[in-house]
Amino acid sequence: MELEKPLLFAAIGMIALFSQWLAWRMKAPSIVFLLAAGILIGPIFGVLDADAFLGDLLFPVVSISVAVILFEGSLTLRFHELHDTGSALWRMLTIGVLSTWAVIACATHFLVGTSWELAILFGAIMVVTGPTVIGPMLRAVRPTEKIARLLRWEGIVIDPLGAVLAILVFDLILAHLDPGHATSPLATFGELLLVGILSGCLAGQFVGLALRNFWLPEYLHNVGTLLIVITVFVLSDAVAHESGLLAVTIMGVWLANMPGVRTEEILDFKESLSVLLISGLFILLASRLQLDALSAIGLPALGVFLVTQFVARPLKVLVSTWPGELTWNERGLLAWIAPRGIVAAAISSLFALRLEEINYPGAENIVPLAFALIIGTVVWQGLTAPTIARWLGVAQPEPTGILFVGGNALARAIAKKMHDAGFRIVLADSGWDNIRAARMAGLPTYFGNPVSEHAERRLDLIGIGHVFAMSRRDTLNALACARFSAEFGRNAVHALAARSEEERSEKHVPARDDHGALFGPEQDYATLARLVAEGAEIRQSKLKEGFNYAAMRKQNPGMIPLLAWDAAKRIQADATSIDFTPKPGWTVLILMPPGAEKPAADKPEAKKSDGEKSATNKSAAEKPGTGKRAAEERRRNDRRGNDRRKGDRREK
């Protein structure tokens, strides 16, 4: 069954949208559903024939889409953010990449029977992992923070690095095989490097200056950058064949690390565009998959997957983390997780198309082998990694950390108390002054909009189980609650209203009725922030058998209860709820308004009864130098001294 092209365009778009939505609802990598959709509408039902659908435009569409995806990935590579990852990450990206490359290349050559050139190219492609598949897997596995950080940064950095490596290998092979080349392969390889690096640096510097000096109006920043990326890719390819992908990757890295250039809005736009391109591209590429070709290399493909999973990855982790930085259990989980993603699929399909154009023998095996490895790693690791993490004892318990949406003074004060109490804290705000103040207070931060596409990719939610929306804007609080309620559950998402109920009613501002009321429905940001600005103190008090919640309220008259948590760090965030019954062993967080009566332990000594006075006076009278006799003696001595001084003055 075939559809008209306009209808097919719309169908691909809706299928991509449904696949992404399904992945979001099921908290699984979107690549699984996009792959299944492409296979269903392609080789199984025959609805989509990508070659007939796009014709001669297939190769340019795939090439430009990959260029934009690589530029967006490289735009996230900020070198200063890699300092906290330790030496293990750098070794994983150097000797670890080389070891993985060598093992996969050998497995491809000996098990599948491809030529050494094709095996080396395939090994270079398959060193990548990718954050689009790592992120959902980490949220399901919940490993320790050290493992999560290494996996997340490996996925971010290795995408452009692996792509550049594959591009260089591919072009070296082409230069060696093409008999029409008058120059040597090494000269062609050097030309590719020179043109790609030089054009990428020049384009990055030009775009950076244009953004920093406002040579373009703000509304053209995103579109202008996109068009320049496509132009640089095409022109660089025209000068030195296949240098365009290297050029746009270098351009993105240059822009990301150029001082004074704000790339957040461009990155948000490119990420949205990348979601569209990745979805459509993956469906197109999966629809070209030939199931008979996949079944023809079935056992060898399974062998390559087993070698990749049980030899290449453990060897990479071993050589990268030896000695010392990780425990053996941490190494075990790190060696288990390395799913391949969209970059592996796109680059392999792109090079397969290019090799098929020159009738290179064995090129038809690249795509089915790549998809077999993608399916194997994503499905196998996705199903088994949570169990392996628990078995090794490196899975975090039920997440108790808190994401604070808003970095104002009130949020910082409460976040500081929770951080000091041992909770994992991430404070997110798009205002630099708030972020700077939070960092000076020693709080982990995310600089940006927590509901943006950038946050979807870069916000580290490992260990986070609650959301406290405490910004000054009700709309942002509501968006944050809607964004994170599906991930953490509605009972773990709480919003603090920006204004009182009366003010919200007068201004027709939507309340937070759909989500938990942080600190209770009677509290609002304006009131609490004013109290903190006036000197209110945030305290925490641990309840005991002889000091229950009622006794604490009696000892702290005027207090405003905020929230409480038990010994297992389970939080009750609504202090006015009927269920708010903190028991001995719980810790209660309260706000003491300025001028509130101090607890009895802090007050001056209370007035004594008459009996206590009598006993005190009697005791004082019995001590030397105290009591009535001593006082009378002191008065006599004072009078004698005064008389002597008067006599001295008369004699003079």
Side-chain angles (χ1 to χ4, degrees):
M1 179 182 68
E2 294 185 2
L3 300 177
E4 294 293 331
K5 287 189 176 182
L7 187 58
L8 197 52
F9 264 114
I12 293 173
M14 294 309 297
I15 291 171
L17 177 62
F18 177 74
S19 300
Q20 291 283 357
W21 175 84
L22 197 59
W24 169 71
R25 291 295 300 176
M26 300 186 68
K27 300 179 183 177
S30 59
I31 193 171
V32 176
F33 303 98
L34 294 169
L35 174 64
I39 293 176
L40 285 174
I41 67 173
I44 292 182
F45 294 114
V47 176
L48 175 63
D49 181 356
D51 296 88
F53 178 52
L54 292 177
D56 294 337
L57 290 177
L58 178 62
F59 182 76
V61 166
V62 173
S63 300
I64 292 175
S65 299
V66 172
V68 174
I69 292 169
L70 285 180
F71 173 75
E72 183 267 329
S74 62
L75 203 59
T76 65
L77 266 180
R78 293 180 173 86
F79 295 139
H80 69 88
E81 295 181 0
L82 301 178
H83 294 163
D84 298 333
T85 56
S87 60
L89 177 65
W90 294 107
R91 293 199 295 269
M92 290 177 75
L93 297 174
T94 51
I95 58 174
V97 165
L98 294 177
S99 68
T100 302
W101 182 13
V103 172
I104 296 178
C106 290
T108 305
H109 174 71
F110 290 111
L111 295 178
V112 183
T114 62
S115 65
W116 272 115
E117 291 86 357
L118 206 60
I120 292 172
L121 174 63
F122 185 76
I125 296 171
M126 286 299 147
V127 300
V128 301
T129 54
T132 56
V133 285
I134 285 289
M137 193 171 292
L138 288 181
R139 285 196 285 272
V141 176
R142 296 206 309 269
T144 59
E145 189 172 351
K146 187 185 298 185
I147 299 174
R149 187 188 303 120
L150 279 173
L151 287 171
R152 187 169 63 87
W153 274 110
E154 180 194 17
I156 292 173
V157 178
I158 208 170
D159 259 5
L161 180 65
V164 168
L165 181 64
I167 293 164
L168 297 181
V169 174
F170 176 74
D171 285 305
L172 188 59
I173 293 173
L174 282 185
H176 176 69
L177 294 177
D178 191 351
H181 274 290
T183 57
S184 67
L186 286 179
T188 304
F189 185 69
E191 180 187 10
L192 179 147
L193 278 177
L194 179 64
V195 172
I197 294 174
L198 185 62
S199 58
C201 291
L202 290 175
Q205 183 69 17
F206 172 75
V207 174
L209 290 174
L211 297 176
R212 191 166 63 189
N213 297 321
F214 295 99
W215 294 347
L216 282 175
E218 191 168 351
Y219 73 92
L220 287 180
H221 283 187
N222 294 335
V223 176
T225 304
L226 173 63
L227 294 177
I228 292 174
V229 167
I230 295 175
T231 303
V232 168
F233 168 73
V234 173
L235 292 180
S236 182
D237 251 9
V239 175
H241 201 52
E242 302 300 337
S243 66
L245 293 179
L246 175 61
V248 297
T249 303
I250 297 296
M251 176 183 171
V253 174
W254 187 282
L255 265 179
N257 295 277
M258 187 173 176
V261 177
R262 295 181 59 87
T263 59
E264 288 80 8
E265 291 185 4
I266 294 176
L267 187 57
D268 289 344
F269 170 70
K270 291 294 185 296
E271 285 180 338
S272 300
L273 183 62
S274 291
V275 170
L276 176 63
L277 292 177
I278 286 172
S279 302
L281 186 63
F282 207 80
I283 290 174
L284 283 174
L285 297 178
S287 70
R288 297 184 74 251
L289 186 62
Q290 298 177 5
L291 297 183
D292 53 348
L294 183 60
S295 61
I297 59 170
L299 287 179
L302 177 62
V304 173
F305 161 69
L306 293 176
V307 171
T308 303
Q309 177 70 41
F310 297 106
V311 179
R313 181 63 178 181
L315 180 62
K316 175 180 181 177
V317 172
L318 184 62
V319 299
S320 301
T321 61
W322 183 270
E325 285 195 29
L326 300 174
T327 66
W328 282 107
N329 287 357
E330 289 173 333
R331 288 191 184 102
L333 183 61
L334 196 63
W336 196 264
I337 300 177
R340 271 57 182 179
I342 183 62
V343 171
I347 295 293
S348 61
S349 299
L350 179 63
F351 290 161
L353 286 170
R354 184 71 180 91
L355 290 172
E356 287 169 4
E357 285 184 347
I358 60 174
N359 296 317
Y360 187 86
E364 68 278 1
N365 290 328
I366 290 183
V367 172
L369 194 58
F371 275 87
L373 204 56
I374 292 168
I375 296 170
T377 54
V378 171
V379 174
W380 171 255
Q381 294 170 19
L383 292 175
T384 59
T387 303
I388 294 295
R390 290 192 296 269
W391 180 66
L392 292 174
V394 291
Q396 290 185 345
E398 194 67 24
T400 58
I402 307 167
L403 170 65
F404 283 82
V405 177
N408 48 70
L410 174 64
R412 293 197 304 269
I414 295 175
K416 179 65 174 172
K417 283 292 183 182
M418 304 299 286
H419 183 262
D420 293 343
F423 287 89
R424 168 164 159 69
I425 295 297
V426 177
L427 193 144
D429 198 290
S430 56
W432 174 244
D433 290 340
N434 287 336
I435 292 296
R436 180 176 54 189
R439 290 179 180 175
M440 291 180 66
L443 297 174
T445 61
Y446 167 76
F447 179 37
N449 187 339
V451 297
S452 65
E453 290 290 340
H454 183 268
E456 178 73 24
R457 180 165 184 161
R458 302 293 297 280
L459 180 56
D460 184 6
L461 296 176
I462 301 298
I464 299 297
H466 301 271
V467 175
F468 287 0
M470 299 182 61
S471 77
R472 297 182 176 91
R473 294 178 290 162
D474 279 314
T475 51
L476 177 57
N477 292 342
L479 281 173
C481 288
R483 157 68 179 82
F484 293 107
S485 60
E487 185 162 353
F488 299 119
R490 302 182 70 84
N491 59 338
V493 176
H494 307 275
L496 179 65
R499 290 172 290 276
S500 65
E501 188 68 38
E502 292 77 10
E503 291 175 316
R504 291 200 305 272
S505 299
E506 291 175 2
K507 298 182 179 181
H508 303 289
V509 177
R512 68 229 151 142
D513 296 337
D514 292 338
H515 304 281
L518 186 59
F519 312 143
E522 297 178 359
Q523 305 302 336
D524 61 88
Y525 168 80
T527 302
L528 297 181
R530 188 189 71 250
L531 291 174
V532 169
E534 292 173 353
E537 182 183 358
I538 296 176
R539 302 176 185 171
Q540 65 183 55
S541 182
K542 189 168 184 178
L543 304 181
K544 302 176 182 178
E545 289 294 340
F547 183 70
N548 58 20
Y549 183 58
M552 191 193 81
R553 296 208 64 149
K554 185 176 180 181
Q555 190 186 67
N556 297 273
M559 76 174 196
I560 300 175
L562 300 177
L563 54 89
W565 62 88
D566 62 9
K569 289 187 167 61
R570 289 188 293 262
I571 296 176
Q572 284 194 4
D574 183 354
T576 62
S577 170
I578 299 176
D579 299 329
F580 188 77
T581 54
K583 301 175 178 61
W586 285 54
T587 302
V588 182
L589 197 70
I590 64 174
L591 180 70
M592 291 299 297
E597 189 177 356
K598 294 183 179 180
D602 299 336
K603 292 179 186 178
E605 185 177 351
K607 265 184 143 182
K608 296 180 179 178
S609 64
D610 292 338
E612 290 173 328
K613 286 181 185 176
S614 175
T616 303
N617 292 339
K618 181 178 180 181
S619 174
E622 291 173 354
K623 293 180 182 178
T626 62
K628 294 181 179 178
R629 292 182 180 177
E632 185 63 31
E633 186 66 27
R634 285 195 296 271
R635 283 194 292 271
R636 290 198 200 97
N637 291 337
D638 291 341
R639 284 197 295 271
R640 293 193 189 104
N642 292 335
D643 291 341
R644 289 195 198 98
R645 286 191 290 273
K646 289 178 183 177
D648 291 340
R649 284 197 296 270
R650 282 195 295 271
E651 289 176 3
K652 290 180 181 179

